[in-house]
Amino acid sequence: MRRDAVAAFHANPLIGSQGEALQIGTVTLGRADAPKRLLIVSGTHGVEGFGGAGVQTGWLNERSASDLPNDVSVVLVHLLNPWGMSWNRRENEDNVDLFRNLLYCDHPSEPDPLFDLADDAMALKHWPDRYEPERRRVYRELIERYGQPRLLSAVRRGQHHRPKAMTYHGNGPTWSTRTLHDIVDERLAGATHVGVIDLHTGFGEYGGGIVMSYDPPESAKHKRVAEWFDGAIYTPGGDADIPDHRARLPFAWIEERVPTATVTAQILELGTFPPEESRDCFPANHHFHLFGDPLSEEGRRWGAQYRRFSYPEEDAWKEAVFARGREVIDRTIEGLRAWG
């Protein structure tokens, strides 16, 4: 840990898959009272945290407080979902998708009837008992009836009413959400300009890094991110795997907790493999955690396959995503410096 960084750790009450302690780490680099602050979060989607944490620690190892503009500080939240990372899960210990819990824990989303049809058809509780041809037939019938984009969008947007189904939003703030609220209250208090980078993996070209803005394209926030990256950003909603969330924008809740601040948030997606090559990983891994034994031979096999999709442990991939992550962080800091 750098001597000029202020660190703290928040212990999760559960243990990991190897019996290890689970915790969220927080580091502030730069002035604690800086008017402009950059919040960088990894591990919101658990197993995706390997790549995000690598970007965070690599950047921190190369930077010191003296490298930052005097009016900018950086707050790193390391592994928001440590349980999911340890157990090769996107979701947390309560089967909650934290990205959506942060969005909808206090403002529930509208239910989509198509989600229930898709969940009933997948019958994840009985996943091992249904032969692959039957699973393919069920998917094909749903796709023929509703279209793949509409079907994927319904599943990916998620729901509040089926706690053991995929993409569960939860009903109220999870431990990780409450902890992040506390971190924001403490480390962003008094800020006037806040940038956010939420690090994810699994979308985009292998080794690439796509910057996303969920804010409407006509908004000042979206245009600000586009300016920081010379217009090369992605607007969710064009691909069913990345649906928009216009009813409730990611990280807009920070402005409710830090009323002095204007927040400009972005998602950095570090690409791994084409989603269609790993479609079965999601329901199979889900089955063994919710209805089976994730430590069985088959459960471990699916968990390892899911982890590889989220985190290719290959040097070329690591080098590429770190280079892109470092670039995005540094350009965002420069954008914060010039903002306002």
Side-chain angles (χ1 to χ4, degrees):
M1 179 61 65
R2 304 198 63 88
R3 287 178 295 177
D4 54 0
V6 178
F9 297 92
H10 308 264
N12 185 286
L14 301 180
I15 60 173
S17 60
Q18 306 299 316
E20 75 276 21
L22 301 175
Q23 60 188 9
I24 296 172
T26 308
V27 168
T28 297
L29 191 68
R31 289 172 46 197
D33 63 346
K36 302 174 182 180
R37 299 177 213 173
L38 173 59
L39 176 69
I40 307 174
V41 181
S42 69
T44 303
H45 279 151
V47 69
E48 298 179 17
F50 290 99
V55 169
Q56 287 178 312
T57 55
W59 181 86
L60 189 61
N61 284 336
E62 292 186 354
R63 300 291 186 265
S64 65
S66 62
D67 295 319
L68 298 174
N70 184 56
D71 61 347
V72 177
S73 64
V74 177
V75 179
L76 300 105
V77 177
H78 181 261
L79 302 182
L80 183 62
N81 177 8
W83 187 93
M85 182 175 181
S86 176
W87 285 93
N88 293 330
R89 284 282 280 161
R90 173 188 174 95
E91 296 76 13
N92 79 337
E93 58 269 24
D94 305 309
N95 189 44
V96 171
D97 183 310
L98 288 185
F99 184 80
R100 288 151 180 81
N101 188 251
L102 286 164
L103 276 168
Y104 300 119
C105 63
D106 294 323
H107 302 81
S109 63
E110 290 293 325
D112 185 339
L114 185 53
F115 181 94
D116 290 1
L117 290 177
D119 186 47
D120 291 343
M122 286 189 287
L124 296 180
K125 183 176 181 179
H126 307 290
W127 176 263
D129 303 324
R130 303 181 67 184
Y131 294 107
E132 184 171 344
E134 182 185 358
R135 293 200 296 267
R136 300 295 181 193
R137 179 186 60 79
V138 171
Y139 292 158
R140 185 171 60 253
E141 289 176 356
L142 283 171
I143 289 170
E144 289 174 354
R145 183 173 181 182
Y146 297 102
Q148 187 172 36
R150 174 73 179 89
L151 186 65
L152 277 177
S153 179
V155 173
R156 296 283 286 177
R157 279 202 173 90
Q159 46 81 36
H160 296 271
H161 60 284
R162 294 194 175 190
K164 288 194 172 184
M166 296 176 67
T167 339
Y168 176 50
H169 296 173
N171 286 294
T174 64
W175 172 82
S176 291
T177 295
R178 295 193 303 271
T179 302
L180 185 58
H181 287 171
D182 291 343
I183 291 168
V184 164
D185 290 348
E186 176 187 353
R187 305 241 176 175
L188 300 185
T192 58
H193 302 69
V194 172
V196 179
I197 301 174
D198 191 18
L199 297 161
H200 292 258
T201 65
F203 182 75
E205 294 185 2
Y206 181 93
I210 298 173
V211 174
M212 300 181 179
S213 171
Y214 275 85
D215 289 291
E218 67 276 8
S219 69
K221 295 181 179 184
H222 185 103
K223 292 176 181 177
R224 186 175 298 121
V225 176
E227 182 180 347
W228 292 350
F229 294 94
D230 301 324
I233 66 171
Y234 180 90
T235 302
D239 188 298
D241 278 307
I242 308 290
D244 60 35
H245 291 276
R246 294 293 174 82
R248 186 74 177 159
L249 296 171
F251 296 99
W253 57 267
I254 293 177
E255 293 181 343
E256 299 171 8
R257 304 191 73 90
V258 187
T260 58
T262 298
V263 176
T264 299
Q266 59 190 278
I267 310 298
L268 175 58
E269 278 279 0
L270 305 170
T272 58
F273 304 103
E276 58 271 14
E277 293 183 10
S278 302
R279 290 284 185 212
D280 283 350
C281 287
F282 295 87
N285 193 44
H286 186 95
H287 164 80
F288 283 100
H289 277 275
L290 272 293
F291 304 106
D293 179 6
L295 298 180
S296 67
E297 182 177 353
E298 190 173 4
R300 289 178 185 273
R301 179 174 66 83
W302 281 112
Q305 190 171 335
Y306 191 35
R307 170 171 162 159
R308 173 163 169 74
F309 172 76
S310 303
Y311 175 53
E313 295 186 64
E314 298 163 0
D315 289 344
W317 183 85
K318 294 177 185 177
E319 291 170 4
V321 298
F322 174 59
R324 176 56 171 161
R326 178 176 54 199
E327 176 192 15
V328 168
I329 293 172
D330 289 344
R331 292 186 72 160
T332 303
I333 290 171
E334 175 57 25
L336 275 171
R337 183 199 64 77
W339 180 16

